[in-house]
Amino acid sequence: MEQDIARVLYSEEYLREAVQKIGKQISEDYKGKNLLMVSVLKGSVVFMADLMRAVTIPCSIDFMSVSSYGSGTKTSGVVRILKDLDNDLNGKDLLLVEDILDSGMTLSYIREMLQQRNPSSIRLCTLFDKPERRSVDIQADYSGICVPDEFIVGYGLDYDEKYRNLPYVGVLKPEVYTK
Ligand code: IMP
Ligand code: MG
């Protein structure tokens, strides 16, 4: 796995600090609220696990799964719900936790759909943001690291379902894509 990485962009150390910072902010902003953190599987699962432990106020968690990508690196524009939430959203302060905000289509679709279930509030939290690639009008309320327009893997992010378990984030060697 390591030999497929061309270079490391963000070390474990760097990621830990970014996550701690977001967790601290969320803990302040959601004091006295009914925080429900929703992780969008599978990419955000590593971030979610670290972020929820950086949050120091009571919260509950839930998961949903959608598919917006095939095995390639470009968006298909198709968002399909594979697993819905278990929680009723009434009265909840929903925080959508994503790995990366790219075109924005996935989060935009999910947010619209969940809005209709009457939560008290909805905000978006993403660890990585690629603003250059946005195709819909959407911004994260919490965002950790602004990344260049490159395909990154690790810390939950995959290429063809692999590399999610790398503890750091890096860029793949070009030959990996042609394998
Ligand atoms: P969006 O709908 O284009 O914003 O796509 C968001 C989803 O695309 C993320 O949750 C990731 O699963 C995937 N994605 C976008 N950019 C990357 C990347 O650089 N590496 C790995 N996955 C990515
Ligand atoms: Mg993905």
Side-chain angles (χ1 to χ4, degrees), residues 123-142:
R123 282 187 187 167
L124 310 179
C125 174
T126 187
L127 179 56
F128 298 107
D129 192 1
K130 270 189 198 169
E132 282 172 61
R133 301 225 337 140
R134 206 74 91 248
S135 67
V136 295
D137 185 21
I138 190 167
Q139 276 178 6
D141 300 284
Y142 303 92

Side-chain angles (χ1 to χ4, degrees), residues 16-35:
R16 193 176 309 124
E17 262 174 48
V19 174
Q20 285 298 324
K21 205 165 142 197
I22 304 173
K24 193 162 176 249
Q25 191 62 52
I26 290 169
S27 306
E28 283 169 22
D29 295 353
Y30 283 86
K31 226 170 250 162
K33 304 231 179 197
N34 207 350
L35 174 60

Side-chain angles (χ1 to χ4, degrees), residues 52-149:
M52 62 190 273
R53 286 177 290 176
V55 167
T56 53
I57 57 165
C59 75
S60 33
I61 62 166
D62 206 342
F63 297 88
M64 87 181 294
S65 176
V66 301
S67 93
S68 56
Y69 278 71
S71 62
T73 57
K74 294 246 162 67
T75 184
S76 64
V78 179
V79 178
R80 215 157 40 99
I81 296 179
L82 305 176
K83 184 221 171 286
D84 208 339
L85 298 175
D86 300 331
N87 279 260
D88 178 0
L89 299 188
N90 219 313
K92 300 277 166 58
D93 292 293
L94 203 63
L95 184 64
L96 286 174
V97 178
E98 253 285 30
D99 48 359
I100 187 165
L101 193 53
D102 189 37
S103 73
M105 282 196 280
T106 314
L107 266 190
S108 170
Y109 179 91
I110 294 175
R111 182 173 63 174
E112 203 131 300
M113 186 192 66
L114 297 180
Q115 190 80 65
Q116 288 163 17
R117 302 186 194 175
N118 289 319
S120 296
S121 66
I122 297 191
R123 282 187 187 167
L124 310 179
C125 174
T126 187
L127 179 56
F128 298 107
D129 192 1
K130 270 189 198 169
E132 282 172 61
R133 301 225 337 140
R134 206 74 91 248
S135 67
V136 295
D137 185 21
I138 190 167
Q139 276 178 6
D141 300 284
Y142 303 92
S143 115
I145 303 166
C146 201
V147 294
D149 184 8

